[in-house]
């Protein structure tokens, strides 16, 4: 059986699948508050088409799927897709990244369909700041989604916190304490210049060494951890005696490209070898032909670059490839 191994010897076993570019929030690091133009629904891959593409990926060694958006739970019938993916022979793990607002009423149904675990975005624990960052929605509903996920057995539960300089960096200590007192896994994530290398990104970018500075200030003793299932590129720690863990995902200051094992499928049917670069492969012409779909995945391996060079963007240095013009919500986080 052919395997998905790129020119740099990295074996790929993980596909992130976006099901929509729409979202019920407008987080300031993801999309503008107004003026977004969303894809027409007939441009999106149907669930059966996504499963067809996923089946080709599984034949080539993909074993893990993550469902993303936009906000994936705004697309109706997501349990149908998860059921189709979980029925593919060889699939070991299906996870979901969500803002949690709609999770309360869907968690049990998704778990029954085959969903294993969730990552829930939580950038602040302050109601007013949540409205500032997300521009709409209620923090209360996110907490309800977290509780519903726990009750449905969708664990380990990871909480994704994008750190923004001058916005939420003063809450680092609260998130560290959350990982100490509750069995959740906080993931601090650096703000990435996806689709918008602009002054706003540069002014809000915060390297994650700031988290370890706060650990020292608070006097926490740390223990290095392997991390829960699906930790991927996260550098993981547990505060001594803590119920959960925290992790650092620093794609800009300390990129993890050398161990990258993932590809991305956009909601409109494009296979992306790398999150940051423009390069995409349209899967729609290959639908109906298992061999053609497999060939596209192998082509993606040939095109995958060695790294994404986001650190060069921060430094204002020349780049070797063309950066994507799509925002994160249009690619799939």
């Amino acid at each position: 059986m052919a395997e998905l191994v790129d020119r740099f010897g990295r074996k790929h076993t993980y596909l992130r699948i976006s099901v929509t570019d729409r979202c019920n929030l407008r987080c300031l690091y993801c999309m503008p508050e107004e003026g977004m133009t969303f894809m027409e629904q007939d441009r999106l891959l149907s669930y059966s088409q996504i499963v067809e593409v996923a089946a080709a990926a599984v034949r080539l060694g993909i074993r893990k799927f993550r469902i993303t958006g936009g906000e994936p739970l705004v697309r109706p019938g997501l349990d149908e897709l998860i059921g189709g993916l979980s029925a593919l022979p060889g699939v070991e793990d299906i996870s979901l990244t969500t803002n949690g607002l709609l999770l309360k009423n869907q968690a049990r149904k998704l778990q029954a369909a085959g969903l294993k675990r969730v990552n829930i975005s939580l950038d602040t624990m302050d109601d007013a700041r949540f409205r500032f960052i997300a521009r709409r929605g209620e923090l209360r509903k996110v907490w309800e989604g977290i509780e519903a996920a726990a009750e449905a057995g969708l664990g380990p539960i990871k909480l994704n916190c994008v750190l923004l300089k001058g916005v939420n960096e003063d809450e680092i200590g609260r998130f560290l304490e959350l990982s100490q007192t509750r069995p959740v896994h906080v993931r601090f994530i650096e703000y990435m210049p996806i689709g918008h290398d602009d002054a706003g990104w540069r002014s809000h970018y915060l390297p994650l060494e700031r988290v370890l500075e706060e650990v020292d200030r608070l006097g926490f003793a740390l223990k290095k951890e392997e991390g829960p299932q699906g930790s991927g590129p996260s550098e993981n720690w547990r505060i001594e005696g803590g119920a959960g863990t925290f992790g650092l995902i620093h794609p800009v200051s300390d990129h993890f490209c050398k161990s990258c094992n993932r590809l991305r499928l956009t909601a409109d049917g494009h296979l992306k070898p790398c999150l940051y670069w423009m390069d995409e492969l349209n899967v729609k012409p290959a639908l109906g032909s298992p061999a053609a779909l497999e060939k596209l995945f192998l082509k993606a391996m040939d095109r995958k670059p060695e790294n994404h060079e986001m650190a060069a963007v921060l430094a204002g240095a020349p780049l070797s490839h063309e950066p994507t013009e799509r925002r994160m919500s249009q690619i799939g986080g």
Side-chain angles (χ1 to χ4, degrees):
M1 180 184 77
E3 292 185 325
L4 294 174
V5 180
D6 68 15
R7 294 171 296 144
F8 307 98
R10 297 171 296 197
K11 182 178 178 180
H12 291 64
T13 58
Y14 181 17
L15 179 65
R16 299 175 76 102
I17 300 171
S18 176
V19 297
T20 183
D21 64 333
R22 297 173 186 263
C23 189
N24 46 4
L25 298 180
R26 294 291 183 273
C27 295
L28 59 85
Y29 55 81
C30 188
M31 63 175 75
E33 185 172 9
E34 304 290 345
M36 282 293 294
T37 300
F38 296 106
M39 299 175 192
E40 296 294 332
Q41 295 303 292
D42 59 4
R43 283 182 56 192
L44 304 183
L45 291 177
S46 68
Y47 288 157
S48 62
Q49 288 173 329
I50 292 174
V51 171
E52 182 185 349
V53 176
V58 169
R59 291 192 296 272
L60 294 171
I62 294 292
R63 294 293 176 260
K64 300 192 299 181
F65 296 108
R66 176 174 294 278
I67 310 302
T68 72
E71 169 48 48
L73 295 182
V74 303
R75 183 163 174 180
L78 193 62
D79 57 310
E80 175 190 337
L81 173 62
I82 291 171
L85 294 174
S86 65
L88 295 174
V91 173
E92 297 172 358
D93 187 46
I94 303 173
S95 57
L96 172 75
T97 295
T98 174
N99 61 35
L101 292 180
L102 301 175
L103 189 56
K104 178 181 178 180
N105 295 328
Q106 298 192 47
R108 290 194 181 279
K109 180 168 60 174
L110 295 171
Q111 190 276 336
L115 186 67
K116 302 296 185 185
R117 52 195 178 81
V118 290
N119 283 37
I120 300 174
S121 297
L122 183 68
D123 301 315
T124 178
M125 288 185 272
D126 179 82
D127 289 323
R129 187 170 286 171
F130 181 87
R131 289 190 292 273
F132 173 75
I133 295 174
R135 298 183 174 126
R136 57 185 71 176
E138 298 177 66
L139 179 58
R140 170 183 60 84
K141 292 186 177 180
V142 180
W143 285 114
E144 290 175 353
I146 293 169
E147 296 298 338
E151 291 170 4
L154 293 172
I157 293 174
K158 298 176 192 170
L159 304 179
N160 291 345
C161 177
V162 177
L163 283 182
L164 302 168
K165 184 178 181 181
V167 177
N168 63 352
E169 64 181 298
D170 61 335
E171 291 190 72
I172 292 173
R174 292 185 69 186
F175 278 100
L176 290 170
E177 289 167 0
L178 183 67
S179 79
Q180 183 183 30
T181 58
R182 297 187 61 172
V184 295
H185 307 277
V186 175
R187 294 293 175 265
F188 296 105
I189 303 173
E190 286 181 339
Y191 183 14
M192 293 180 284
I194 305 300
H196 60 295
D197 167 19
D198 56 20
W201 170 69
R202 292 172 185 275
S203 65
H204 288 309
Y205 168 75
L206 186 72
L208 293 190
E209 62 187 30
R210 178 71 184 81
V211 175
L212 296 180
E213 290 171 0
E214 187 68 5
V215 167
D216 288 341
R217 188 186 74 80
L218 293 171
F220 289 136
L222 298 183
K223 177 184 177 183
K224 191 82 174 190
E225 289 274 320
E226 285 292 324
Q229 182 181 2
S231 291
S234 178
E235 175 190 346
N236 303 295
W237 304 86
R238 186 185 300 273
I239 297 171
E240 272 195 9
T245 67
F246 74 91
L248 308 179
I249 299 177
H250 28 59
V252 180
S253 65
D254 185 15
H255 74 79
F256 37 80
C257 300
K258 63 184 178 183
S259 61
C260 184
N261 67 341
R262 68 193 65 186
L263 295 166
R264 286 176 168 82
L265 179 66
T266 66
D268 58 347
H270 289 81
L271 191 62
K272 285 189 70 65
C274 178
L275 170 66
Y276 187 59
W277 301 120
M278 180 78 77
D279 199 18
E280 298 180 348
L281 297 164
N282 187 358
V283 304
K284 289 181 178 178
L287 291 171
S289 170
L293 286 171
E294 291 176 20
K295 186 176 180 179
L296 274 181
F297 275 95
L298 295 171
K299 190 173 183 179
M301 291 295 93
D302 290 336
R303 290 194 183 183
K304 184 151 185 170
E306 187 171 11
N307 61 66
H308 55 51
E309 301 177 23
M310 290 186 203
V313 179
L314 186 64
L319 302 178
S320 64
H321 296 70
E322 185 73 18
T324 183
E325 295 178 354
R326 295 204 201 213
R327 288 182 173 268
M328 185 71 85
S329 61
Q330 298 166 320
I331 297 171

